[in-house]
Amino acid sequence: MSFVNKSASELSAMLASKEISSVEITQAQLDNIDRLNPKINSYLTVTHEIALAQAKEVDELRAKGEKLSALAGVPIAVKDNLTTIGIETTAGSKILKGWIPPYNATVVQKILANRMPILGKTNMDEFAMGSSTENSAYGPSLNPWDLKRTPGGSGGGSSSAVASMQAAIAIGSDTGGSIRFPAAVTGTVGVKPTYGAVSRYGLIALGSSLDQIGPVARNVMDAAMLQDAISGPDAMDATSLPESLGSMTEAAKNDSVKGLKIGIIKELTGEGFQAGVSERFQEALDLLVASGAEIVEVSCPSFQYAIAAYYLIQPAEASSNLARFDSVRFGLRVMPEGAATVEKVMAATREEGFGPEVKRRIILGTYALSSGYYDAYYGSAQKVRTLIQADLAKAFEKANVLVSPTAPTTAFLLGEKQEDPLAMYLNDIATIPANLAGVPGMSLPVGLAKEDNLPVGAQFLAPAREDARLYKVGAVLEKLLENKWSKKMMDFAPELRVN
Ligand code: GLN
Protein backbone atom coordinates (compact mmCIF):
# COMPACT_ATOMS: atom_id res chain seq x y z
CA MET A 1 0.00 0.00 0.00
CA SER A 2 1.26 3.39 -0.89
CA PHE A 3 2.00 6.06 1.70
CA VAL A 4 -0.82 8.20 0.44
CA ASN A 5 -3.46 5.85 1.83
CA LYS A 6 -2.05 6.26 5.33
CA SER A 7 -3.57 8.54 7.90
CA ALA A 8 -1.66 11.48 9.39
CA SER A 9 -1.30 9.64 12.70
CA GLU A 10 0.15 6.59 10.93
CA LEU A 11 2.54 8.80 8.97
CA SER A 12 3.51 10.60 12.16
CA ALA A 13 4.49 7.28 13.79
CA MET A 14 6.38 6.09 10.70
CA LEU A 15 8.29 9.37 10.57
CA ALA A 16 9.13 9.25 14.26
CA SER A 17 10.54 5.73 13.91
CA LYS A 18 12.42 6.82 10.77
CA GLU A 19 10.71 4.10 8.75
CA ILE A 20 10.10 6.72 6.07
CA SER A 21 11.19 10.27 5.39
CA SER A 22 9.06 13.33 4.87
CA VAL A 23 10.57 13.73 1.39
CA GLU A 24 9.34 10.24 0.46
CA ILE A 25 5.82 10.92 1.74
CA THR A 26 5.67 14.39 0.22
CA GLN A 27 6.88 13.12 -3.17
CA ALA A 28 4.31 10.29 -3.13
CA GLN A 29 1.62 12.77 -2.19
CA LEU A 30 2.63 15.18 -4.98
CA ASP A 31 2.66 12.31 -7.49
CA ASN A 32 -0.88 11.41 -6.54
CA ILE A 33 -1.90 15.06 -6.84
CA ASP A 34 -0.34 15.24 -10.32
CA ARG A 35 -2.34 12.13 -11.24
CA LEU A 36 -5.69 13.17 -9.77
CA ASN A 37 -5.86 16.93 -9.63
CA PRO A 38 -6.38 17.35 -13.40
CA LYS A 39 -9.49 15.13 -13.02
CA ILE A 40 -10.92 16.45 -9.73
CA ASN A 41 -9.65 20.05 -9.45
CA SER A 42 -9.05 19.91 -5.70
CA TYR A 43 -6.06 22.25 -5.77
CA LEU A 44 -5.87 25.68 -7.36
CA THR A 45 -2.12 25.83 -6.74
CA VAL A 46 0.24 22.91 -6.14
CA THR A 47 3.48 23.98 -4.47
CA HIS A 48 5.83 21.16 -5.50
CA GLU A 49 9.13 22.92 -4.77
CA ILE A 50 8.03 24.54 -1.53
CA ALA A 51 6.64 21.27 -0.17
CA LEU A 52 9.75 19.28 -1.04
CA ALA A 53 12.08 21.94 0.39
CA GLN A 54 10.11 21.94 3.65
CA ALA A 55 10.15 18.14 3.71
CA LYS A 56 13.91 18.09 3.23
CA GLU A 57 14.36 20.58 6.02
CA VAL A 58 12.31 18.59 8.52
CA ASP A 59 14.15 15.38 7.57
CA GLU A 60 17.45 17.10 8.28
CA LEU A 61 16.24 18.35 11.64
CA ARG A 62 15.07 14.87 12.56
CA ALA A 63 18.39 13.39 11.52
CA LYS A 64 20.06 15.88 13.87
CA GLY A 65 17.90 14.62 16.71
CA GLU A 66 15.89 17.84 17.06
CA LYS A 67 12.68 17.58 19.08
CA LEU A 68 9.79 17.82 16.63
CA SER A 69 6.01 18.15 16.92
CA ALA A 70 3.68 15.18 16.36
CA LEU A 71 2.75 16.24 12.83
CA ALA A 72 6.24 17.31 11.76
CA GLY A 73 6.88 16.05 8.24
CA VAL A 74 3.24 15.23 7.48
CA PRO A 75 2.19 17.21 4.38
CA ILE A 76 -0.99 19.25 4.43
CA ALA A 77 -3.35 21.08 2.05
CA VAL A 78 -4.52 24.61 2.85
CA LYS A 79 -7.76 26.24 1.71
CA ASP A 80 -7.16 29.12 -0.65
CA ASN A 81 -8.70 31.73 1.66
CA LEU A 82 -5.74 31.59 4.04
CA THR A 83 -2.91 33.98 3.28
CA THR A 84 0.45 32.42 2.45
CA ILE A 85 3.62 34.42 1.87
CA GLY A 86 4.86 33.85 -1.67
CA ILE A 87 1.97 31.57 -2.69
CA GLU A 88 -0.91 32.89 -4.78
CA THR A 89 -4.08 33.26 -2.71
CA THR A 90 -7.34 33.85 -4.55
CA ALA A 91 -10.16 32.69 -2.25
CA GLY A 92 -11.64 31.20 -5.43
CA SER A 93 -12.17 34.67 -6.90
CA LYS A 94 -11.08 36.27 -10.12
CA ILE A 95 -10.65 39.56 -8.27
CA LEU A 96 -7.64 38.11 -6.40
CA LYS A 97 -6.11 36.24 -9.34
CA GLY A 98 -2.35 36.55 -9.09
CA TRP A 99 -2.36 38.05 -5.59
CA ILE A 100 0.67 37.00 -3.58
CA PRO A 101 0.11 37.85 0.08
CA PRO A 102 2.87 39.65 1.98
CA TYR A 103 1.98 37.87 5.24
CA ASN A 104 1.02 34.46 6.58
CA ALA A 105 -2.23 33.64 8.35
CA THR A 106 -1.59 32.61 11.97
CA VAL A 107 -2.73 29.09 11.09
CA VAL A 108 -0.21 28.94 8.24
CA GLN A 109 2.46 30.22 10.61
CA LYS A 110 1.57 27.40 13.00
CA ILE A 111 1.70 24.83 10.21
CA LEU A 112 5.19 26.06 9.36
CA ALA A 113 6.21 26.05 13.02
CA ASN A 114 4.99 22.44 13.21
CA ARG A 115 7.10 21.76 10.12
CA MET A 116 4.33 20.38 7.97
CA PRO A 117 5.08 20.68 4.24
CA ILE A 118 2.40 22.67 2.40
CA LEU A 119 1.21 20.77 -0.69
CA GLY A 120 -0.83 23.61 -2.13
CA LYS A 121 -3.95 25.72 -1.90
CA THR A 122 -7.35 24.11 -2.28
CA ASN A 123 -10.30 25.14 -4.41
CA MET A 124 -13.39 26.74 -2.91
CA ASP A 125 -16.54 28.65 -3.71
CA GLU A 126 -15.65 32.28 -4.32
CA PHE A 127 -14.97 33.92 -0.94
CA ALA A 128 -16.45 30.76 0.66
CA MET A 129 -19.97 31.57 -0.50
CA GLY A 130 -21.66 28.35 -1.52
CA SER A 131 -22.15 24.67 -0.85
CA SER A 132 -20.76 23.01 -3.97
CA THR A 133 -17.58 24.80 -5.22
CA GLU A 134 -19.56 25.72 -8.33
CA ASN A 135 -19.11 29.38 -7.39
CA SER A 136 -15.33 29.06 -7.74
CA ALA A 137 -13.98 31.27 -10.54
CA TYR A 138 -11.68 28.37 -11.40
CA GLY A 139 -14.27 25.64 -12.01
CA PRO A 140 -15.79 23.20 -9.52
CA SER A 141 -14.02 20.40 -7.67
CA LEU A 142 -15.50 16.97 -8.28
CA ASN A 143 -16.55 14.38 -5.73
CA PRO A 144 -14.22 11.34 -5.91
CA TRP A 145 -17.16 9.07 -5.07
CA ASP A 146 -18.95 10.12 -8.26
CA LEU A 147 -17.39 12.64 -10.60
CA LYS A 148 -20.80 14.00 -11.64
CA ARG A 149 -21.42 15.17 -8.10
CA THR A 150 -20.26 17.98 -5.84
CA PRO A 151 -17.73 17.36 -3.06
CA GLY A 152 -19.69 19.98 -1.07
CA GLY A 153 -18.75 23.55 -0.48
CA SER A 154 -17.39 25.90 0.13
CA GLY A 155 -14.43 23.69 1.07
CA GLY A 156 -14.86 21.08 -1.65
CA GLY A 157 -11.22 21.40 -2.63
CA SER A 158 -10.03 20.28 0.79
CA SER A 159 -12.69 17.58 1.19
CA SER A 160 -12.09 16.06 -2.25
CA ALA A 161 -8.31 16.21 -1.75
CA VAL A 162 -8.48 14.36 1.55
CA ALA A 163 -11.07 11.83 0.34
CA SER A 164 -9.04 10.99 -2.77
CA MET A 165 -5.68 10.66 -0.96
CA GLN A 166 -4.27 13.89 -2.38
CA ALA A 167 -3.54 14.85 1.24
CA ALA A 168 -4.03 13.09 4.56
CA ILE A 169 -5.18 16.28 6.22
CA ALA A 170 -6.28 19.73 5.16
CA ILE A 171 -7.36 23.08 6.53
CA GLY A 172 -10.91 24.29 5.98
CA SER A 173 -12.97 27.27 7.05
CA ASP A 174 -16.57 27.10 8.23
CA THR A 175 -18.94 30.09 8.23
CA GLY A 176 -22.16 28.14 7.80
CA GLY A 177 -20.99 24.57 7.25
CA SER A 178 -18.13 24.78 4.75
CA ILE A 179 -16.02 22.25 6.64
CA ARG A 180 -18.80 19.96 7.86
CA PHE A 181 -20.95 19.69 4.72
CA PRO A 182 -18.06 18.82 2.37
CA ALA A 183 -16.90 16.28 4.96
CA ALA A 184 -20.34 14.67 5.05
CA VAL A 185 -20.63 14.21 1.29
CA THR A 186 -17.09 12.90 0.79
CA GLY A 187 -16.96 10.46 3.72
CA THR A 188 -14.36 12.49 5.62
CA VAL A 189 -14.19 14.02 9.10
CA GLY A 190 -14.59 17.78 9.41
CA VAL A 191 -14.61 19.91 12.54
CA LYS A 192 -15.65 23.49 13.16
CA PRO A 193 -14.05 24.34 16.50
CA THR A 194 -15.59 26.73 19.04
CA TYR A 195 -15.64 30.30 17.69
CA GLY A 196 -12.31 31.84 18.65
CA ALA A 197 -10.50 28.57 19.33
CA VAL A 198 -8.44 29.00 16.16
CA SER A 199 -7.15 32.42 15.16
CA ARG A 200 -8.82 34.02 12.12
CA TYR A 201 -5.86 36.31 11.44
CA GLY A 202 -5.06 35.93 7.76
CA LEU A 203 -8.31 34.18 6.90
CA ILE A 204 -9.94 36.19 4.11
CA ALA A 205 -13.08 37.23 5.94
CA LEU A 206 -16.59 36.20 4.88
CA GLY A 207 -18.75 36.73 7.97
CA SER A 208 -16.40 37.68 10.76
CA SER A 209 -18.74 36.77 13.60
CA LEU A 210 -19.32 33.31 12.06
CA ASP A 211 -16.00 32.31 10.45
CA GLN A 212 -13.90 29.61 12.04
CA ILE A 213 -10.93 27.63 10.72
CA GLY A 214 -10.79 23.90 11.38
CA PRO A 215 -9.42 20.49 10.39
CA VAL A 216 -10.41 18.15 7.54
CA ALA A 217 -9.17 14.56 7.87
CA ARG A 218 -9.95 10.91 7.19
CA ASN A 219 -10.32 9.98 10.86
CA VAL A 220 -11.04 11.52 14.23
CA MET A 221 -7.50 11.26 15.62
CA ASP A 222 -6.02 13.07 12.62
CA ALA A 223 -8.55 15.88 13.01
CA ALA A 224 -7.74 16.08 16.73
CA MET A 225 -3.99 16.31 16.12
CA LEU A 226 -4.53 19.01 13.55
CA GLN A 227 -6.87 21.02 15.77
CA ASP A 228 -4.25 20.90 18.52
CA ALA A 229 -1.60 22.10 16.09
CA ILE A 230 -3.54 25.13 14.84
CA SER A 231 -5.50 26.38 17.86
CA GLY A 232 -4.66 28.65 20.76
CA PRO A 233 -4.79 32.31 21.71
CA ASP A 234 -3.45 34.89 19.25
CA ALA A 235 -2.79 38.56 19.89
CA MET A 236 -3.48 39.22 16.18
CA ASP A 237 -7.16 38.20 16.49
CA ALA A 238 -9.19 40.10 19.07
CA THR A 239 -11.85 37.39 19.07
CA SER A 240 -9.46 34.52 19.73
CA LEU A 241 -10.14 32.79 23.05
CA PRO A 242 -7.63 33.66 25.75
CA GLU A 243 -7.34 30.09 26.99
CA SER A 244 -6.46 26.77 25.40
CA LEU A 245 -9.25 24.19 25.25
CA GLY A 246 -7.06 21.28 26.28
CA SER A 247 -5.76 18.39 24.21
CA MET A 248 -8.06 17.05 21.50
CA THR A 249 -5.49 14.33 20.82
CA GLU A 250 -6.07 13.02 24.36
CA ALA A 251 -9.85 13.28 23.91
CA ALA A 252 -9.62 11.24 20.70
CA LYS A 253 -8.15 8.34 22.66
CA ASN A 254 -11.45 7.91 24.49
CA ASP A 255 -13.03 4.46 24.27
CA SER A 256 -16.28 4.72 26.19
CA VAL A 257 -19.62 6.49 25.83
CA LYS A 258 -21.15 4.91 28.94
CA GLY A 259 -23.58 7.34 30.51
CA LEU A 260 -23.13 9.94 27.75
CA LYS A 261 -26.37 11.78 27.09
CA ILE A 262 -26.92 12.39 23.39
CA GLY A 263 -29.70 14.78 22.41
CA ILE A 264 -31.40 14.24 19.07
CA ILE A 265 -32.51 17.56 17.66
CA LYS A 266 -36.15 17.05 16.77
CA GLU A 267 -36.21 19.81 14.17
CA LEU A 268 -33.28 18.27 12.29
CA THR A 269 -34.56 14.75 11.76
CA GLY A 270 -37.33 12.99 9.87
CA GLU A 271 -39.21 14.96 7.27
CA GLY A 272 -37.05 16.56 4.58
CA PHE A 273 -34.15 14.15 5.09
CA GLN A 274 -33.32 11.52 2.46
CA ALA A 275 -34.41 8.05 3.64
CA GLY A 276 -30.95 6.53 3.29
CA VAL A 277 -29.46 9.40 5.29
CA SER A 278 -31.94 8.91 8.13
CA GLU A 279 -31.36 5.17 8.09
CA ARG A 280 -27.57 5.37 8.46
CA PHE A 281 -27.97 8.10 11.06
CA GLN A 282 -30.32 5.93 13.14
CA GLU A 283 -27.98 2.97 12.86
CA ALA A 284 -25.11 5.05 14.24
CA LEU A 285 -27.26 6.08 17.18
CA ASP A 286 -28.25 2.45 17.82
CA LEU A 287 -24.56 1.51 17.97
CA LEU A 288 -23.90 4.25 20.52
CA VAL A 289 -26.87 3.15 22.62
CA ALA A 290 -25.69 -0.46 22.53
CA SER A 291 -22.39 0.85 23.93
CA GLY A 292 -24.04 2.56 26.87
CA ALA A 293 -25.00 6.03 25.63
CA GLU A 294 -28.42 7.39 26.42
CA ILE A 295 -30.58 9.14 23.84
CA VAL A 296 -32.83 12.04 24.75
CA GLU A 297 -34.94 14.15 22.43
CA VAL A 298 -34.39 17.90 22.46
CA SER A 299 -36.26 20.63 20.65
CA CYS A 300 -34.81 23.83 19.19
CA PRO A 301 -37.87 25.57 17.70
CA SER A 302 -35.89 28.66 16.64
CA PHE A 303 -33.90 26.55 14.14
CA GLN A 304 -36.74 27.04 11.66
CA TYR A 305 -35.56 30.65 11.32
CA ALA A 306 -31.85 29.84 11.25
CA ILE A 307 -31.38 29.92 7.48
CA ALA A 308 -33.29 33.19 7.13
CA ALA A 309 -31.26 34.79 9.92
CA TYR A 310 -27.95 33.48 8.60
CA TYR A 311 -28.62 34.68 5.05
CA LEU A 312 -29.12 38.22 6.41
CA ILE A 313 -26.28 38.35 8.93
CA GLN A 314 -23.71 36.67 6.73
CA PRO A 315 -24.33 38.80 3.60
CA ALA A 316 -24.43 41.90 5.83
CA GLU A 317 -20.98 41.10 7.19
CA ALA A 318 -19.74 40.01 3.76
CA SER A 319 -20.89 43.25 2.13
CA SER A 320 -18.73 45.13 4.57
CA ASN A 321 -15.76 42.73 4.44
CA LEU A 322 -15.67 42.69 0.65
CA ALA A 323 -15.54 46.48 0.39
CA ARG A 324 -11.75 46.18 0.61
CA PHE A 325 -11.56 44.68 -2.88
CA ASP A 326 -11.54 48.07 -4.51
CA SER A 327 -8.95 47.68 -7.31
CA VAL A 328 -6.50 49.81 -5.33
CA ARG A 329 -5.06 47.47 -2.74
CA PHE A 330 -5.38 43.91 -4.04
CA GLY A 331 -5.45 41.93 -7.26
CA LEU A 332 -7.42 42.87 -10.33
CA ARG A 333 -7.77 46.36 -11.78
CA VAL A 334 -10.02 46.96 -14.76
CA MET A 335 -9.89 50.28 -16.60
CA PRO A 336 -13.30 51.41 -17.83
CA GLU A 337 -13.84 52.89 -21.27
CA GLY A 338 -13.56 56.64 -21.48
CA ALA A 339 -12.41 58.94 -18.69
CA ALA A 340 -11.43 56.94 -15.61
CA THR A 341 -12.36 58.21 -12.17
CA VAL A 342 -11.53 56.20 -9.04
CA GLU A 343 -15.19 55.33 -8.72
CA LYS A 344 -15.44 54.10 -12.31
CA VAL A 345 -12.31 51.95 -12.01
CA MET A 346 -13.66 50.47 -8.80
CA ALA A 347 -17.04 49.73 -10.37
CA ALA A 348 -15.52 48.17 -13.50
CA THR A 349 -13.17 46.04 -11.41
CA ARG A 350 -15.88 44.76 -9.08
CA GLU A 351 -18.22 44.13 -12.02
CA GLU A 352 -15.60 41.98 -13.73
CA GLY A 353 -13.90 40.50 -10.68
CA PHE A 354 -16.84 39.21 -8.64
CA GLY A 355 -19.08 36.31 -9.65
CA PRO A 356 -22.90 36.34 -9.48
CA GLU A 357 -23.24 34.84 -5.97
CA VAL A 358 -20.84 37.35 -4.47
CA LYS A 359 -22.70 40.22 -6.12
CA ARG A 360 -26.01 38.80 -4.92
CA ARG A 361 -24.80 38.75 -1.35
CA ILE A 362 -23.22 42.20 -1.45
CA ILE A 363 -26.51 43.62 -2.70
CA LEU A 364 -28.55 41.66 -0.14
CA GLY A 365 -26.24 42.59 2.72
CA THR A 366 -26.07 46.27 1.79
CA TYR A 367 -29.86 46.36 1.57
CA ALA A 368 -30.31 44.64 4.94
CA LEU A 369 -28.00 47.20 6.55
CA SER A 370 -29.54 50.28 4.89
CA SER A 371 -31.03 52.77 7.32
CA GLY A 372 -34.70 52.18 6.50
CA TYR A 373 -34.44 48.41 6.79
CA TYR A 374 -31.74 47.83 9.38
CA ASP A 375 -34.11 47.06 12.27
CA ALA A 376 -36.52 45.03 10.19
CA TYR A 377 -33.88 42.74 8.67
CA TYR A 378 -30.49 42.85 10.37
CA GLY A 379 -32.02 43.63 13.78
CA SER A 380 -34.56 40.80 13.57
CA ALA A 381 -31.91 38.37 12.39
CA GLN A 382 -29.74 39.21 15.41
CA LYS A 383 -32.73 38.53 17.68
CA VAL A 384 -33.16 35.11 16.06
CA ARG A 385 -29.47 34.51 16.67
CA THR A 386 -30.05 35.10 20.40
CA LEU A 387 -33.01 32.70 20.36
CA ILE A 388 -30.88 30.01 18.72
CA GLN A 389 -28.21 30.44 21.37
CA ALA A 390 -30.89 30.14 24.07
CA ASP A 391 -32.43 27.02 22.50
CA LEU A 392 -29.01 25.37 22.35
CA ALA A 393 -28.20 26.33 25.94
CA LYS A 394 -31.47 24.72 27.05
CA ALA A 395 -30.79 21.60 24.99
CA PHE A 396 -27.34 21.26 26.55
CA GLU A 397 -28.97 21.19 29.99
CA LYS A 398 -30.51 17.87 28.95
CA ALA A 399 -27.67 16.39 26.91
CA ASN A 400 -23.85 16.41 26.80
CA VAL A 401 -23.77 16.48 23.01
CA LEU A 402 -26.43 17.02 20.35
CA VAL A 403 -26.72 15.11 17.12
CA SER A 404 -28.38 15.28 13.69
CA PRO A 405 -27.51 14.29 10.15
CA THR A 406 -25.00 16.84 8.79
CA ALA A 407 -27.05 17.42 5.66
CA PRO A 408 -30.50 16.51 4.35
CA THR A 409 -29.12 14.51 1.40
CA THR A 410 -25.99 12.85 0.07
CA ALA A 411 -23.87 14.67 -2.54
CA PHE A 412 -26.07 16.37 -5.12
CA LEU A 413 -25.30 16.54 -8.83
CA LEU A 414 -23.22 19.38 -10.20
CA GLY A 415 -25.67 21.81 -11.76
CA GLU A 416 -28.58 20.51 -9.73
CA LYS A 417 -28.91 23.57 -7.46
CA GLN A 418 -26.69 26.09 -9.18
CA GLU A 419 -29.55 27.96 -10.87
CA ASP A 420 -31.58 28.15 -7.67
CA PRO A 421 -29.76 29.98 -4.85
CA LEU A 422 -32.54 29.26 -2.34
CA ALA A 423 -32.30 25.51 -2.89
CA MET A 424 -28.55 25.80 -2.30
CA TYR A 425 -29.10 27.79 0.91
CA LEU A 426 -31.62 25.25 2.29
CA ASN A 427 -28.92 22.64 2.23
CA ASP A 428 -27.27 24.38 5.21
CA ILE A 429 -30.17 23.79 7.59
CA ALA A 430 -28.29 21.54 10.02
CA THR A 431 -24.90 23.25 9.97
CA ILE A 432 -25.79 26.94 10.32
CA PRO A 433 -27.03 26.96 13.96
CA ALA A 434 -23.54 26.10 15.28
CA ASN A 435 -22.04 29.16 13.56
CA LEU A 436 -24.81 31.46 14.77
CA ALA A 437 -24.22 30.23 18.33
CA GLY A 438 -20.42 29.91 18.15
CA VAL A 439 -20.48 26.28 19.35
CA PRO A 440 -18.25 23.50 17.99
CA GLY A 441 -19.49 20.87 15.51
CA MET A 442 -18.07 17.72 13.96
CA SER A 443 -19.22 15.80 10.90
CA LEU A 444 -18.35 12.13 10.92
CA PRO A 445 -18.92 9.54 8.17
CA VAL A 446 -21.54 7.00 9.23
CA GLY A 447 -21.76 4.82 6.13
CA LEU A 448 -23.27 4.84 2.66
CA ALA A 449 -26.88 5.59 1.79
CA LYS A 450 -28.57 2.57 0.27
CA GLU A 451 -30.25 4.48 -2.58
CA ASP A 452 -27.02 5.81 -4.09
CA ASN A 453 -24.05 4.28 -2.24
CA LEU A 454 -22.81 7.75 -1.32
CA PRO A 455 -21.40 8.84 2.05
CA VAL A 456 -23.64 10.05 4.87
CA GLY A 457 -22.44 12.29 7.69
CA ALA A 458 -23.65 12.64 11.26
CA GLN A 459 -23.08 15.94 13.01
CA PHE A 460 -22.32 16.27 16.71
CA LEU A 461 -22.52 19.60 18.53
CA ALA A 462 -21.12 20.49 21.95
CA PRO A 463 -21.32 23.60 24.13
CA ALA A 464 -18.77 26.35 23.48
CA ARG A 465 -15.25 25.42 24.65
CA GLU A 466 -16.25 21.74 24.98
CA ASP A 467 -14.71 20.63 21.66
CA ALA A 468 -13.16 17.67 23.45
CA ARG A 469 -16.61 16.09 23.82
CA LEU A 470 -16.88 15.86 20.03
CA TYR A 471 -13.59 14.01 19.75
CA LYS A 472 -14.57 11.70 22.60
CA VAL A 473 -17.85 10.61 21.06
CA GLY A 474 -16.41 10.70 17.55
CA ALA A 475 -13.56 8.35 18.46
CA VAL A 476 -15.95 5.76 19.88
CA LEU A 477 -18.47 5.94 17.05
CA GLU A 478 -15.73 5.68 14.46
CA LYS A 479 -14.54 2.41 15.97
CA LEU A 480 -18.05 0.98 16.19
CA LEU A 481 -18.67 1.88 12.54
CA GLU A 482 -15.35 0.54 11.33
CA ASN A 483 -16.32 -2.85 12.64
CA LYS A 484 -19.59 -2.64 10.80
CA TRP A 485 -18.44 -1.22 7.48
CA SER A 486 -14.81 -2.31 7.34
CA LYS A 487 -13.17 -0.97 4.14
CA LYS A 488 -16.32 0.02 2.28
CA MET A 489 -16.38 3.58 3.57
CA MET A 490 -13.36 4.41 1.40
CA ASP A 491 -14.67 2.68 -1.70
CA PHE A 492 -14.81 5.72 -3.94
CA ALA A 493 -14.55 5.79 -7.74
CA PRO A 494 -12.30 2.80 -8.61
CA GLU A 495 -10.36 4.59 -11.35
CA LEU A 496 -9.06 7.08 -8.80
CA ARG A 497 -7.95 4.67 -6.11
CA VAL A 498 -4.41 3.97 -5.06
CA ASN A 499 -3.71 0.36 -4.23
N1 GLN B 1 -23.16 27.32 2.35
C1 GLN B 1 -22.83 28.39 3.26
C2 GLN B 1 -22.81 29.69 2.53
O1 GLN B 1 -22.89 29.68 1.35
C3 GLN B 1 -21.57 28.07 3.96
C4 GLN B 1 -20.46 28.99 3.79
C5 GLN B 1 -19.25 28.70 4.62
O2 GLN B 1 -19.30 27.98 5.63
N2 GLN B 1 -18.16 29.30 4.24
O3 GLN B 1 -22.74 30.74 3.09
Side-chain angles (χ1 to χ4, degrees):
M1 195 202 255
S2 156
F3 300 142
V4 299
N5 287 342
K6 302 247 180 255
S7 67
S9 21
E10 285 169 329
L11 293 173
S12 155
M14 290 166 80
L15 283 161
S17 68
K18 302 199 177 141
E19 201 176 317
I20 42 166
S21 69
S22 178
V23 168
E24 286 174 280
I25 299 172
T26 305
Q27 188 60 60
Q29 203 66 84
L30 289 167
D31 289 346
N32 206 34
I33 294 171
D34 291 341
R35 183 176 73 96
L36 294 184
N37 200 46
K39 292 191 188 119
I40 307 186
N41 199 27
S42 304
Y43 287 86
L44 295 177
T45 308
V46 184
T47 47
H48 296 87
E49 291 83 26
I50 292 176
L52 285 168
Q54 289 165 336
K56 195 163 160 265
E57 223 174 278
V58 66
D59 284 341
E60 282 164 11
L61 291 174
R62 202 183 296 277
K64 275 195 222 147
E66 194 127 337
K67 198 173 156 15
L68 296 167
S69 75
L71 288 174
V74 178
I76 187 168
V78 175
K79 193 174 178 180
D80 202 34
N81 56 355
L82 277 109
T83 57
T84 38
I85 293 179
I87 306 174
E88 183 177 3
T89 299
T90 68
S93 181
K94 201 170 151 191
I95 212 161
L96 280 178
K97 192 170 176 19
W99 184 57
I100 313 273
Y103 71 109
N104 278 331
T106 296
V107 163
V108 170
Q109 209 54 50
K110 282 179 184 266
I111 287 172
L112 297 176
N114 275 278
R115 303 216 168 262
M116 303 162 73
I118 294 177
L119 295 165
K121 307 291 293 286
T122 53
N123 194 15
M124 55 184 285
D125 285 297
E126 184 175 8
F127 290 108
M129 297 177 187
S131 302
S132 67
T133 67
E134 288 164 292
N135 294 331
S136 167
Y138 306 100
S141 300
L142 312 186
N143 191 322
W145 289 83
D146 176 351
L147 300 180
K148 294 187 298 304
R149 292 174 191 272
T150 174
S154 66
S158 287
S159 70
S160 62
V162 170
S164 63
M165 319 287 166
Q166 294 182 77
I169 41 178
I171 297 289
S173 71
D174 191 310
T175 305
S178 284
I179 291 176
R180 291 163 288 156
F181 177 63
V185 296
T186 55
T188 52
V189 177
V191 182
K192 181 198 93 67
T194 296
Y195 182 76
V198 180
S199 168
R200 288 183 295 109
Y201 179 69
L203 170 69
I204 296 173
L206 172 52
S208 310
S209 75
L210 305 154
D211 296 344
Q212 186 54 205
I213 297 170
V216 180
R218 286 193 294 267
N219 66 48
V220 173
M221 178 54 87
D222 285 8
M225 289 169 74
L226 185 51
Q227 181 162 339
D228 284 343
I230 60 173
S231 54
D234 180 17
M236 302 301 279
D237 173 2
T239 59
S240 96
L241 293 173
E243 74 275 20
S244 140
L245 302 182
S247 167
M248 301 306 140
T249 308
E250 280 310 307
K253 291 178 186 159
N254 177 49
D255 60 3
S256 166
V257 287
K258 264 210 179 72
L260 183 80
K261 282 205 180 121
I262 301 176
I264 301 192
I265 306 168
K266 198 177 106 194
E267 288 76 11
L268 294 181
T269 43
E271 209 188 315
F273 286 78
Q274 185 182 323
V277 168
S278 300
E279 190 185 5
R280 289 288 95 88
F281 173 69
Q282 188 55 48
E283 243 173 47
L285 294 182
D286 293 345
L287 287 172
L288 286 167
V289 170
S291 299
E294 192 188 318
I295 302 285
V296 294
E297 191 181 86
V298 300
S299 174
C300 297
S302 62
F303 280 17
Q304 64 183 302
Y305 308 116
I307 289 189
Y310 172 89
Y311 279 100
L312 284 166
I313 293 170
Q314 194 254 67
E317 294 187 12
S319 70
S320 154
N321 276 324
L322 269 56
R324 63 171 63 91
F325 302 105
D326 57 4
S327 78
V328 178
R329 284 169 287 189
F330 312 95
L332 188 72
R333 178 176 300 166
V334 177
M335 298 308 283
E337 277 173 33
T341 61
V342 170
E343 213 165 276
K344 278 186 185 159
V345 176
M346 215 180 275
T349 302
R350 287 166 72 86
E351 161 62 23
E352 171 122 13
F354 287 143
E357 182 64 22
V358 173
K359 287 179 186 153
R360 190 177 295 127
R361 293 201 198 187
I362 291 174
I363 291 167
L364 196 68
T366 308
Y367 181 75
L369 289 175
S370 59
S371 63
Y373 297 99
Y374 182 93
D375 288 331
Y377 293 119
Y378 187 72
S380 307
Q382 288 292 19
K383 285 181 190 152
V384 170
R385 190 169 190 175
T386 305
L387 288 177
I388 287 170
Q389 287 163 354
D391 274 356
L392 279 168
K394 238 171 71 201
F396 283 126
E397 282 170 16
K398 286 214 237 161
N400 308 107
V401 292
L402 305 180
V403 71
S404 74
T406 309
T409 64
T410 54
F412 51 85
L413 291 165
L414 291 162
E416 192 178 328
K417 302 193 182 193
Q418 191 53 4
E419 297 311 314
D420 181 357
L422 274 181
M424 194 73 95
Y425 299 168
L426 287 173
N427 196 63
D428 301 336
I429 177 74
T431 48
I432 274 173
N435 301 80
L436 288 170
V439 304
M442 169 188 281
S443 179
L444 194 76
V446 292
L448 306 178
K450 68 163 182 268
E451 305 93 334
D452 48 24
N453 265 314
L454 291 168
V456 175
Q459 173 187 241
F460 289 89
L461 301 178
R465 295 181 168 79
E466 297 292 343
D467 303 37
R469 288 188 200 173
L470 303 177
Y471 289 100
K472 284 184 177 169
V473 64
V476 173
L477 181 55
E478 180 177 68
K479 235 169 267 149
L480 295 168
L481 287 162
E482 244 162 45
N483 298 339
K484 194 175 152 56
W485 285 90
S486 84
K487 250 187 66 213
K488 259 221 171 113
M489 306 241 299
M490 278 293 145
D491 252 2
F492 58 82
E495 71 274 23
L496 307 180
R497 279 183 226 156
V498 184
N499 294 309

